[in-house]
C-alpha cells in the first residue's frame, strides 16, 4: 500500500485462454476499484508513479468500452466487500507471460499490477477517472 505495508498477494499464470490472475488484497474502501497492468515493474510508495502509465504496447486508447482501445493493461473493475477485502480470479487475453512477445508483461522494464482508489469508467483517457494509485505489486 502507500505506506509500504504488504496487504495482498497475486498470482499470474499463462493459460491457452490468456493470463489468469488470482488476487487477494485488503485495506480497500468497499466498492469498485480500477485495476490495471502498468508499464514498469517498480512500485515505490507513496504514489506508485514509478510504475509508469498503463501497459500499452499497441498504442491504443484507454478503456474496455472505448472503440479505439483498450490498452493491453486495461482490466475490469474489482469489487471490495464491506470489510475492504477482495478475493477474485479472472483471465485477460490482452497480455502474455511469454517472453519476446510485444504484449509480454516480462519485457525489458517489467510490469506492475496497480489498484486505484475509484472505479474505472472504461472510456476516459488516460486511466478511466479511476483516481489515485493505492496498491501496487511488481510482477516477477
Amino acid at each position: 500500500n502507500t505506506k509500504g505495508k504488504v496487504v495482498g498477494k497475486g498470482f499470474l499464470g499463462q493459460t491457452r485462454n490468456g493470463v489468469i490472475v488470482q488476487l487477494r488484497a485488503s485495506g480497500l474502501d468497499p466498492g469498485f476499484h480500477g485495476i490495471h497492468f502498468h508499464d514498469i515493474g517498480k512500485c515505490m510508495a507513496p504514489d506508485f508513479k514509478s510504475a509508469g502509465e498503463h501497459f500499452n504496447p499497441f498504442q491504443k486508447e484507454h478503456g474496455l468500452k472505448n472503440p479505439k482501445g483498450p490498452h493491453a493493461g486495461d482490466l475490469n473493475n474489482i469489487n471490495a466487500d464491506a470489510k475492504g477485502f477482495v478475493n477474485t480470479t479472472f483471465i485477460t487475453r490482452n497480455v502474455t507471460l511469454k517472453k519476446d512477445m510485444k504484449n509480454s508483461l516480462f519485457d525489458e522494464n517489467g510490469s506492475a499490477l496497480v489498484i486505484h482508489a475509484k472505479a474505472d469508467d472504461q472510456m476516459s483517457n488516460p486511466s478511466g477517472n479511476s483516481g489515485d494509485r493505492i496498491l501496487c505489486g511488481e510482477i516477477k
Side-chain angles (χ1 to χ4, degrees), residues 74-97:
D74 291 346
L75 302 166
N76 284 310
N77 289 314
I78 56 172
N79 190 14
D81 68 16
K83 294 182 180 178
F85 184 76
V86 64
N87 183 7
T88 187
T89 300
F90 57 87
I91 292 178
T92 177
R93 297 172 194 241
N94 295 332
V95 299
T96 185
L97 301 179

Side-chain angles (χ1 to χ4, degrees), residues 32-36 54 61-67 69-71 74-78 116-132:
F32 289 97
H33 296 269
I35 180 172
H36 312 100
H54 291 182
E61 291 193 17
H62 173 76
L64 297 173
K65 295 179 183 175
N66 188 327
H71 298 146
D74 291 346
L75 302 166
N76 284 310
N77 289 314
I78 56 172
H116 293 261
K118 301 186 295 187
D120 184 333
D121 66 19
Q122 299 297 343
M123 288 288 288
S124 305
N125 281 300
S127 62
N129 292 318
S130 54
D132 292 338

Side-chain angles (χ1 to χ4, degrees), residues 37-43 49-53 55 107 109-114 136-139:
F37 290 113
H38 281 246
D39 193 45
I40 301 170
K42 189 179 285 188
C43 293
K49 299 282 186 193
S50 56
E53 300 304 320
F55 184 59
D107 60 8
N109 60 355
S111 301
L113 188 61
V114 175
C136 185
E138 297 172 10
I139 298 171

Side-chain angles (χ1 to χ4, degrees), residues 10-67:
F11 168 82
L12 280 69
Q14 185 68 52
T15 73
R16 66 177 162 228
N17 295 322
V19 172
I20 188 168
V21 179
Q22 295 174 322
L23 176 68
R24 291 173 54 111
S26 61
L28 297 164
D29 287 338
F32 289 97
H33 296 269
I35 180 172
H36 312 100
F37 290 113
H38 281 246
D39 193 45
I40 301 170
K42 189 179 285 188
C43 293
M44 294 176 61
D47 60 11
F48 306 122
K49 299 282 186 193
S50 56
E53 300 304 320
H54 291 182
F55 184 59
N56 189 19
F58 302 115
Q59 304 306 307
K60 301 284 188 171
E61 291 193 17
H62 173 76
L64 297 173
K65 295 179 183 175
N66 188 327

